[in-house]
Amino acid sequence: VELTLTCKLKEAEKIHKIKHIILVASGKGGVGKSTTAVNLAASLKCEGAKVGILDADIYGPSIPILLGLEGEKPQAKDEKTMLPFEKEGIKSQSIGFLVPAESAMVWRGPMASGALTQLLNETDWGELDYLIVDMPPGTGDIQLTMSQKVPASGAIIVTTPQDLALADAQKGIAMFEKVKVPILGLIENMSHFICGHCDQTSHVFGQGGGKVMAHRYGIPLLAEIPLQLAIREYGEQGKMIADEPSLNISEFYRKAARLVASQ
Ligand code: ADP
Ligand code: MG
């Protein structure tokens, strides 16, 4: 019993230097969780915080690509501890570093959540102000594990203004409320499109859904991030838009990060 206890204490030690664990979640896939998670992390870093990212999307990890770390393998610190990657001042860990990109994860829920808690606990994160967790879509086993077994400070819900995405985001909010993880705010991604030639704004996926929802649940609307080619391109090139203050778009993420940091 003592041995198990010591092990548990050791594990807790590795994450006890993390001040805030923030889950970035959504009900639906493809709404821009990973892109948002990475840019929020970069923005918090620009505000002076020590930041890490944990890719919890066991079935579709995209953090290695978004950080330009594809194909890298983490180094072991000792038999039970891995070192996170550090790039542009952001530490990261992902299941994507440990399994080949083309192999599909065919794990059942409990195995996937086990792998994830291990990834969190067996990484030597060091001192962090924020660990941003890029969650998989949905409200299944992994979400429950991360909400109940991990001392999360709060969750950020990402949605598009589309009715379908909003309905799923609502399920996400309900789940976090049930497990008593505070919702720090809502981010409406792909909110609108500003035409570079004609300066006209179009609402590709609908308009105002995020605002209505934030109001309904009494949660802050942290940002309405436009649909912009640069956001996708930067992601594909493994660069963070929030690191480029010259791009207007970076201010959307910076503002959201400041709102999160002020809570
Ligand atoms: P999720 O993690 O929710 O599945 P991703 O972050 O992988 O979503 O985003 C899905 C796709 O949409 C990616 O190709 C990404 O580059 C693109 N994307 C995300 N947000 C935006 C945006 N605001 N403007 C343009 N493309 C975006
Ligand atoms: Mg993702």
Side-chain angles (χ1 to χ4, degrees):
V1 175
E2 207 167 89
L3 194 68
T4 336
L5 205 62
T6 325
C7 282
K8 284 232 165 88
L9 281 176
K10 280 223 172 101
E11 279 184 7
E13 257 169 40
K14 283 177 208 150
I15 62 163
H16 95 279
K17 285 188 278 180
I18 303 175
K19 286 195 195 134
H20 302 286
I21 298 182
I22 295 180
L23 313 177
V24 176
S26 77
K28 197 173 177 299
V31 295
K33 263 181 318 303
S34 304
T35 307
T36 306
V38 162
N39 282 299
L40 270 182
S43 301
L44 286 164
K45 178 202 71 178
C46 293
E47 297 290 316
K50 291 197 190 81
V51 184
I53 303 179
L54 172 67
D55 188 350
D57 201 343
I58 294 272
Y59 301 104
S62 41
I63 294 302
I65 295 177
L66 291 174
L67 293 181
L69 290 169
E70 225 181 339
E72 300 279 357
K73 293 273 165 272
Q75 282 187 333
K77 187 182 173 202
D78 53 49
E79 269 172 36
K80 278 213 83 181
T81 320
M82 280 175 287
L83 289 170
F85 280 100
E86 188 157 357
K87 194 174 170 191
E88 315 284 349
I90 295 177
K91 291 180 178 171
S92 61
Q93 183 60 284
S94 165
I95 195 82
F97 292 137
L98 306 175
V99 296
E102 62 282 358
S103 71
M105 302 301 279
V106 282
W107 290 344
R108 288 185 190 278
M111 224 172 135
S113 22
L116 187 58
T117 24
Q118 218 176 329
L119 206 59
L120 169 69
N121 290 320
E122 294 181 7
T123 296
D124 183 13
W125 296 100
E127 259 181 53
L128 289 183
D129 294 307
Y130 296 98
L131 179 69
I132 305 292
V133 184
D134 180 18
M135 300 283 284
T139 50
D141 282 331
I142 293 181
Q143 284 77 5
L144 277 177
T145 305
M146 289 307 282
S147 317
Q148 294 178 320
K149 294 203 177 151
V150 170
S153 307
I156 294 170
I157 308 284
V158 181
T159 183
T160 65
Q162 209 180 355
D163 287 346
L164 264 177
L166 285 164
D168 284 346
Q170 222 155 307
K171 287 183 203 152
I173 293 176
M175 184 202 73
F176 286 119
E177 279 180 346
K178 214 175 214 170
V179 293
K180 304 211 162 33
V181 172
I183 312 267
L184 303 176
L186 186 72
I187 290 187
E188 187 182 88
N189 189 34
M190 309 187 189
S191 172
H192 52 278
F193 177 75
I194 306 165
C195 168
H197 305 293
C198 60
D199 223 26
Q200 265 187 2
T201 301
S202 44
H203 296 270
V204 185
F205 296 117
Q207 190 177 359
K211 217 170 251 168
V212 171
M213 191 157 162
H215 185 73
R216 185 183 306 151
Y217 287 92
I219 54 178
L221 181 63
L222 301 172
E224 292 172 295
I225 298 170
L227 182 73
Q228 266 210 4
L229 188 60
I231 296 183
R232 181 180 63 77
E233 283 177 342
Y234 265 64
E236 280 172 2
Q237 292 162 15
K239 295 193 295 186
M240 283 156 272
I241 217 132
D243 261 347
E244 304 275 349
S246 60
L247 290 168
N248 289 342
I249 192 91
S250 69
E251 191 43 36
F252 286 85
Y253 293 112
R254 299 276 187 102
K255 189 184 141 223
R258 285 194 291 271
L259 285 171
V260 169
S262 69
Q263 289 190 43

